[in-house]
Amino acid sequence: MSGPSQAEVLLTLADTAGYWYGTSTRGEPFAAMLGESIVRPLRGGRGSVRAELARMYAADHGRAPSAEALADTMLTLEGRSYAGEERDLHLRVARDSVGAIWLDLGTRDCELVRITAGGWQIMRGGGPLFRRTRLTGALPKPSPDGDLSRLRELLRIDDDVWPLVVAWLVCVLLLPDRPVPVLALTGEQGTAKSWQSRLLVLLADPSDAPLRTAPRDVESWAVAASASRVVALDNVSRVEPWLSDALCRASTGDGMVRRALYTSEDVSVLAFRRAVLVNGIALPGMRGDLADRLVRVTLGQIADDQRLDEADMAARWDRAHPVAL
């Protein structure tokens, strides 16, 4: 008598792993481990259920399952997802039904920080559901001895505008359901615009690409902006009209309607609220509606005897990050 098929073995592995299934409000199927708040896409890269089941099968049998068996398994799991509960999925930060703020630390052990008026605590589940992307980097565990002066020491920002930068960070980390103003760091060459932009992004939403070049069109902008909480555009020389409109929509959370891929009749809606940071020497071409949403911080020159090499700055940042967060 023949044994179970590869697809049956894969389904048994999925059941043993303890997944439960559902869909996002946009109809995307997902799976999550019991007791955790980080969901996994069924298909995709190394963080997907498909990849995880393939690794588990290979560890048990010494070879990878067939593509056909994986495809059959995914169809079954998709059926379970569509029969399951529909849930909101959040990226990096969310507010729950009682007003607590939850921050996804992006760590492998799925740790979250639950933040209330009375303080914060590290947890693994029990809150809103979060999705991750390839740009979701890990934050350090926050230090109980928080001190923003450690961040202040690494930034060359005047005292009169420092409160504006802090307010922007509050919007990024603590106001997930409110419009976020666009932070603009401007200054002449030699004012460390890129480095200071990088630190602000790494503080709240680290990734392998904290700074990005200005996108070429709406589609490339939407792909980049949908994958992270903070989107930082580096060395922007001109703000084209379409980009100005896109930045405004990202700030307020308004949607963009586009034709769905490979169809001529259906449409897809891209709706997301993001924290946006841009830097440049002057940012010419900015329209009035974007200027109304802008927090502009002008950076001063840094004297040669006050400059530090990149390795020293990185070491200082590693020490300051948990305390600043």
Side-chain angles (χ1 to χ4, degrees):
M1 175 181 282
S2 61
S5 67
Q6 288 188 356
E8 290 172 332
V9 172
L10 288 167
L11 287 173
T12 300
L13 289 173
D15 293 338
T16 304
Y19 290 121
W20 65 274
Y21 304 91
T23 58
S24 72
T25 53
R26 298 184 183 181
E28 303 156 326
F30 66 80
M33 291 288 194
L34 292 173
E36 293 183 358
S37 294
I38 308 301
V39 308
R40 296 164 170 81
L42 296 189
R43 306 172 187 268
R46 65 177 59 183
S48 67
V49 173
R50 184 184 190 277
E52 189 161 327
L53 291 178
R55 288 193 296 269
M56 294 166 64
Y57 185 96
D60 289 345
H61 296 83
R63 67 182 191 279
S66 69
E68 182 181 3
L70 282 170
D72 290 344
T73 303
M74 289 302 104
L75 287 174
T76 300
L77 297 185
E78 284 179 353
R80 295 180 184 180
S81 294
Y82 292 125
E85 186 178 356
E86 184 179 89
R87 297 285 297 273
D88 286 322
L89 301 183
H90 305 275
L91 186 64
R92 187 65 80 177
V93 63
R95 186 191 303 272
D96 66 18
S97 59
V98 298
I101 304 299
W102 294 73
L103 174 68
D104 176 17
L105 291 181
T107 56
R108 288 188 176 182
D109 53 7
C110 300
E111 288 182 322
L112 310 171
V113 181
R114 183 178 185 269
I115 307 160
T116 66
W120 55 268
Q121 62 185 133
I122 294 179
M123 306 179 68
R124 286 195 65 184
L129 295 180
F130 288 88
R131 67 181 181 93
R132 290 177 177 175
T133 73
R134 293 184 179 180
L135 291 180
T136 303
L139 285 163
K141 289 186 179 181
S143 169
D145 302 318
D147 185 359
L148 268 182
S149 67
R150 298 290 297 276
L151 173 66
R152 184 75 179 88
E153 293 169 358
L154 297 175
L155 299 175
R156 299 291 179 172
I157 295 175
D158 292 339
D159 292 341
D160 57 339
V161 294
W162 170 244
L164 298 178
V165 176
V166 175
W168 183 78
L169 289 170
V170 168
C171 291
V172 173
L173 290 169
L174 299 177
L175 298 176
D177 47 4
R178 304 288 180 87
V180 181
V182 177
L183 180 64
L185 302 184
T186 60
E188 299 177 0
Q189 186 175 357
T191 55
K193 296 183 294 295
S194 295
W195 174 255
Q196 297 185 78
S197 299
R198 181 185 300 271
L199 290 189
L200 292 174
V201 176
L202 292 178
L203 173 64
D205 189 28
S207 74
D208 291 336
L211 302 181
R212 310 169 203 176
T213 58
R216 300 183 304 274
D217 49 42
V218 174
E219 284 76 13
S220 57
W221 158 255
V223 170
S226 63
S228 57
R229 166 66 174 163
V230 181
V231 186
L233 304 182
D234 191 34
N235 289 320
V236 177
S237 58
R238 178 176 175 78
V239 181
E240 299 293 342
W242 71 263
L243 180 58
S244 179
D245 182 60
L247 296 180
C248 290
R249 291 179 178 275
S251 173
T252 58
D254 293 336
M256 295 182 293
V257 178
R258 312 294 297 174
R259 185 174 66 84
L261 192 61
Y262 303 131
T263 70
S264 58
E265 297 180 358
D266 200 6
V267 297
S268 62
V269 179
L270 296 170
F272 44 75
R273 178 176 288 120
R274 294 292 180 263
V276 178
L277 184 154
V278 298
N279 71 56
I281 293 177
L283 300 179
M286 189 177 300
R287 301 196 311 187
D289 52 354
L290 178 57
D292 290 341
R293 295 167 171 82
L294 205 69
V295 173
R296 186 186 293 268
V297 174
T298 302
L299 304 176
Q301 287 284 349
I302 302 175
D304 290 340
D305 60 354
Q306 294 180 326
R307 293 185 178 275
L308 300 173
D309 62 51
E310 192 165 322
D312 188 19
M313 286 293 291
R316 292 190 181 197
W317 171 245
D318 288 340
R319 295 191 296 269
H321 195 176
V323 180
L325 181 60

